PDB file of all heavy atoms in Angstrom:
ATOM      1  N   ASP A  37       4.880  24.989  17.872  1.00  0.00           N
ATOM      2  CA  ASP A  37       4.731  24.995  19.326  1.00  0.00           C
ATOM      3  C   ASP A  37       5.349  26.241  19.949  1.00  0.00           C
ATOM      4  O   ASP A  37       6.349  26.160  20.668  1.00  0.00           O
ATOM      5  CB  ASP A  37       5.377  23.736  19.928  1.00  0.00           C
ATOM      6  CG  ASP A  37       4.741  22.447  19.403  1.00  0.00           C
ATOM      7  OD1 ASP A  37       3.689  22.526  18.751  1.00  0.00           O
ATOM      8  OD2 ASP A  37       5.299  21.377  19.656  1.00  0.00           O
ATOM      9  N   LYS A  59       0.424  21.883  12.258  1.00  0.00           N
ATOM     10  CA  LYS A  59      -0.027  21.244  13.501  1.00  0.00           C
ATOM     11  C   LYS A  59       0.044  22.258  14.634  1.00  0.00           C
ATOM     12  O   LYS A  59       1.062  22.928  14.807  1.00  0.00           O
ATOM     13  CB  LYS A  59       0.849  20.030  13.831  1.00  0.00           C
ATOM     14  CG  LYS A  59       0.352  19.268  15.045  1.00  0.00           C
ATOM     15  CD  LYS A  59       1.119  17.979  15.265  1.00  0.00           C
ATOM     16  CE  LYS A  59       2.383  18.148  16.064  1.00  0.00           C
ATOM     17  NZ  LYS A  59       2.205  18.725  17.410  1.00  0.00           N
ATOM     18  N   SER A 150       6.721   8.803  20.028  1.00  0.00           N
ATOM     19  CA  SER A 150       8.134   8.952  19.665  1.00  0.00           C
ATOM     20  C   SER A 150       9.062   8.899  20.873  1.00  0.00           C
ATOM     21  O   SER A 150      10.269   8.787  20.710  1.00  0.00           O
ATOM     22  CB  SER A 150       8.333  10.297  18.957  1.00  0.00           C
ATOM     23  OG  SER A 150       8.022  11.371  19.833  1.00  0.00           O
ATOM     24  N   GLN A 215      12.350  13.014  24.023  1.00  0.00           N
ATOM     25  CA  GLN A 215      12.069  13.017  22.572  1.00  0.00           C
ATOM     26  C   GLN A 215      13.202  12.307  21.831  1.00  0.00           C
ATOM     27  O   GLN A 215      14.377  12.454  22.205  1.00  0.00           O
ATOM     28  CB  GLN A 215      11.928  14.464  22.067  1.00  0.00           C
ATOM     29  CG  GLN A 215      11.673  14.603  20.581  1.00  0.00           C
ATOM     30  CD  GLN A 215      10.305  14.047  20.142  1.00  0.00           C
ATOM     31  OE1 GLN A 215      10.050  12.855  20.237  1.00  0.00           O
ATOM     32  NE2 GLN A 215       9.441  14.922  19.668  1.00  0.00           N
ATOM     33  N   TYR A 217      14.658  11.589  17.785  1.00  0.00           N
ATOM     34  CA  TYR A 217      14.487  11.989  16.386  1.00  0.00           C
ATOM     35  C   TYR A 217      15.029  10.956  15.405  1.00  0.00           C
ATOM     36  O   TYR A 217      16.068  10.336  15.633  1.00  0.00           O
ATOM     37  CB  TYR A 217      15.218  13.317  16.124  1.00  0.00           C
ATOM     38  CG  TYR A 217      14.597  14.497  16.823  1.00  0.00           C
ATOM     39  CD1 TYR A 217      15.314  15.237  17.752  1.00  0.00           C
ATOM     40  CD2 TYR A 217      13.285  14.876  16.543  1.00  0.00           C
ATOM     41  CE1 TYR A 217      14.740  16.332  18.397  1.00  0.00           C
ATOM     42  CE2 TYR A 217      12.705  15.965  17.180  1.00  0.00           C
ATOM     43  CZ  TYR A 217      13.435  16.682  18.109  1.00  0.00           C
ATOM     44  OH  TYR A 217      12.871  17.755  18.742  1.00  0.00           O
ATOM     45  N   ARG A 236      10.841  21.802  16.347  1.00  0.00           N
ATOM     46  CA  ARG A 236      12.035  22.587  16.675  1.00  0.00           C
ATOM     47  C   ARG A 236      13.138  22.470  15.632  1.00  0.00           C
ATOM     48  O   ARG A 236      13.978  23.363  15.521  1.00  0.00           O
ATOM     49  CB  ARG A 236      12.531  22.185  18.069  1.00  0.00           C
ATOM     50  CG  ARG A 236      11.621  22.710  19.175  1.00  0.00           C
ATOM     51  CD  ARG A 236      11.894  22.030  20.501  1.00  0.00           C
ATOM     52  NE  ARG A 236      11.436  20.644  20.499  1.00  0.00           N
ATOM     53  CZ  ARG A 236      11.609  19.792  21.512  1.00  0.00           C
ATOM     54  NH1 ARG A 236      12.237  20.205  22.591  1.00  0.00           N
ATOM     55  NH2 ARG A 236      11.148  18.564  21.433  1.00  0.00           N
TER      56      ARG A 236
HETATM   57  O1  LIG B 301       4.601  10.644  20.042  1.00  0.00           O
HETATM   58  C1  LIG B 301       4.510  11.836  19.786  1.00  0.00           C
HETATM   59  C2  LIG B 301       3.289  12.388  19.349  1.00  0.00           C
HETATM   60  C3  LIG B 301       3.245  13.738  19.014  1.00  0.00           C
HETATM   61  S1  LIG B 301       1.810  14.332  18.284  1.00  0.00           S
HETATM   62  N1  LIG B 301       5.601  12.650  19.848  1.00  0.00           N
HETATM   63  C4  LIG B 301       5.555  13.979  19.548  1.00  0.00           C
HETATM   64  O2  LIG B 301       6.599  14.645  19.621  1.00  0.00           O
HETATM   65  N2  LIG B 301       4.352  14.558  19.169  1.00  0.00           N
HETATM   66  C5  LIG B 301       4.243  16.014  18.912  1.00  0.00           C
HETATM   67  O3  LIG B 301       5.095  16.358  17.826  1.00  0.00           O
HETATM   68  C6  LIG B 301       4.658  16.899  20.090  1.00  0.00           C
HETATM   69  O4  LIG B 301       3.532  17.218  20.883  1.00  0.00           O
HETATM   70  C7  LIG B 301       5.251  18.120  19.418  1.00  0.00           C
HETATM   71  O5  LIG B 301       4.229  19.059  19.154  1.00  0.00           O
HETATM   72  C8  LIG B 301       5.768  17.610  18.078  1.00  0.00           C
HETATM   73  C9  LIG B 301       7.272  17.353  18.028  1.00  0.00           C
HETATM   74  O6  LIG B 301       7.992  18.545  18.167  1.00  0.00           O
HETATM   75  P1  LIG B 301       9.576  18.617  17.953  1.00  0.00           P
HETATM   76  O7  LIG B 301       9.909  20.034  18.301  1.00  0.00           O
HETATM   77  O8  LIG B 301      10.219  17.635  18.889  1.00  0.00           O
HETATM   78  O9  LIG B 301       9.842  18.291  16.498  1.00  0.00           O
END
Side-chain angles (χ1 to χ4, degrees):
D37 300 349
K59 185 173 86 58
S150 63
Q215 178 66 295
Y217 292 119
R236 287 165 289 177

